[in-house]
Structures are given as C-alpha cells and as structure tokens.
Amino acid sequence: MSSKMLKIAVLGGTGNIGEGMVLRLALQNLMAEGVKNEIIIGSRSKEAADEAAKQDLSELENCGFDTSRINITGNTNFEAAKAAEIIILSLRFDHVIPLLHEIREVIENKIIITPVVPMVKEGDLFVYKPPEEGSAALAIQKNVPASTKVVAAFHNIPARKLKDIAKCKAVHHALVCGDDAEAKKLVIKLTENMGCLRPLDGGPIKQANTMESLTPLLINLAKLNGLKDLGINFS
C-alpha cells in the first residue's frame, strides 16, 4: 500500500461491527509501514459519531497504542461519505438502500465495501433473506452510480474478534468479492493490514450471495452448539 493517506468512512460506525472495523483500520497506521489512513465514523447524529470516535481512541490508548499516529473523527453519514474515498457500510440491510439514496450525489468514483447481510430471525434461528437482486451486494450495486465500485467483504467476521485489538493476529479468513480488479486489490490489501484477518479472493460480485448466506449459518451453529464468535478458516 502506498504512503498516500486514504480517507475511509465507516457509516453506521457506532454499532458493534462498525466499532470493530474502526479499531482495526486505526491499527493499520501502527502496524503497516507507510499507512496514514484517516478514519471517519458516520452516524445519523454527528454528536453520536464524535462520542464514538472519542471512545475508540480511548480504547486504543487503554490497550497501550500510541494514538498520536491515529486519526479518528466523527460526522454525519452524508459528510463522512462526502469526505471519504472508501466507504464501509456497517448497517442493517433495511437501512442501506435509503442511505445510499441520501449519499448518492457524493459517492461517484468511490469504493463502497459492503459486509451487509440481509437476514431475519425465525423462531430462535436466523434465515438468509436476500432481496430480489439476489444479494445485498447486488442490490447496493444497483442503487449507486455506475462509477461507484462495490466490493463485498467482512461478512463472516465476529464483531467481538474485530474489537479484540489486544490480539493482533490472523484468526479468520475474509472473503472478498468484486468486479473491479483494482478496487478488490485495494480491499484485500486493507484486510491484510488489519491484524486479525487473512483475505481470499472470492470472485466477482455475483458470488457475494454465497458469502452473505454463511453469516446466519455461523450464528445458528454457535447458538445450537454453545459456541461463540465462529468465523471461517480454510486449510
């Protein structure tokens, strides 16, 4: 990765997955040579985003990291998306399409990363419920400008593992799907530097439905077998 600073927005960054993504992205400034990324937490409320940024910096300090090299700020989802070059959607699927309409004018020629999984709870278990497009990733691609590059990634990573920044080692594989080769290559590089993941090329964006459907499976397996924080590891 070049020494050029990337501005990365995590929309919905005040939730568990969003917080984990922010912490892992922040660690790249310390763990990868030449990385100087700026992380912008997006939320419906700027105040909530500002508070989340303060909490994340405090968490990093408590774990012994030098936060003078880490730039985490908060803003509204719109302003965060406007400022960023890479946008990570860390929201429930039913909130994603309305948000894309809201930020559409500021996401031309940008990369959108989607770990979004459309699923519902039926009884005690979760069921994958893709939209008519076939996956959340394809629905997102349909609702962004043609110049916006959509990459599907991070679906099967437990939030608790992302947030456990005291253990900075590869513990799970992360599958990455996308049609734009350069965008996918950049996301794979970002993943390599996150300290807890090992990326694998998952193919074109149409393969994202397979990745998405694994998330409810992992959650159900954990519940049925008394396990926690299941992820995917290939050997």
Side-chain angles (χ1 to χ4, degrees):
M1 186 178 300
S2 71
S3 59
K4 174 182 180 294
M5 184 180 74
L6 291 173
K7 293 186 178 183
I8 306 172
V10 182
L11 307 189
T14 58
N16 284 333
I17 291 292
E19 181 184 354
M21 294 299 303
V22 169
L23 292 172
R24 290 293 172 176
L25 289 167
L27 285 183
Q28 294 187 51
N29 287 17
L30 305 178
M31 298 171 61
E33 184 178 354
V35 174
K36 302 175 183 178
N37 296 335
E38 176 183 344
I39 302 98
I40 310 165
I41 297 174
S43 179
R44 286 175 293 182
S45 159
K46 185 180 186 304
E47 291 73 23
D50 284 336
E51 182 59 30
K54 292 176 183 177
Q55 291 178 0
D56 290 342
L57 285 168
S58 177
E59 178 68 16
L60 288 159
E61 287 180 351
N62 291 339
C63 289
F65 294 107
D66 177 11
T67 57
S68 66
R69 295 172 55 193
I70 296 172
N71 189 353
I72 304 175
T73 59
N75 216 320
T76 62
N77 284 321
F78 181 88
E79 292 299 329
K82 183 178 179 180
E85 300 155 285
I86 299 173
I87 299 161
I88 301 175
L89 300 174
S90 181
L91 305 97
R92 285 171 32 186
F93 177 67
D94 53 345
H95 295 158
V96 167
I97 303 304
L99 175 61
L100 291 175
H101 293 163
E102 177 186 335
I103 66 175
R104 184 180 177 89
E105 66 185 86
V106 296
I107 58 175
E108 290 272 5
N109 300 304
K110 296 185 178 183
I111 296 173
I112 285 186
I113 302 174
T114 166
V116 178
V117 176
M119 60 183 178
V120 296
K121 195 169 187 181
E122 294 186 358
D124 291 333
L125 301 177
F126 285 90
V127 177
Y128 181 55
K129 290 286 187 181
E132 62 181 14
E133 291 84 1
S135 68
L138 288 174
I140 289 166
Q141 188 174 61
K142 180 180 176 181
N143 284 275
V144 298
S147 65
T148 305
K149 304 166 185 66
V150 178
V151 179
F154 309 126
H155 303 83
N156 315 128
I157 313 301
R160 197 193 309 257
K161 288 284 180 70
L162 282 175
K163 292 168 66 174
D164 188 4
I165 54 176
K167 297 179 180 178
C168 296
K169 61 181 180 178
V171 294
H172 290 306
H173 280 101
L175 308 180
V176 183
C177 290
D179 293 338
D180 185 279
E182 287 303 312
K184 183 161 64 172
K185 181 179 178 181
L186 178 55
V187 174
I188 286 174
K189 192 64 177 178
L190 280 173
T191 306
E192 288 175 345
N193 291 328
M194 289 176 72
C196 67
L197 305 176
R198 186 176 297 120
L200 290 175
D201 189 335
I205 200 73
K206 66 181 181 181
Q207 295 295 111
N209 60 346
T210 303
M211 290 166 32
E212 293 175 7
S213 67
L214 292 175
T215 297
L217 171 64
L218 292 170
I219 295 172
N220 293 340
L221 286 173
K223 180 177 179 59
L224 292 169
N225 295 280
L227 303 171
K228 292 182 179 180
D229 304 326
L230 290 185
I232 295 175
N233 292 284
F234 297 99
S235 61

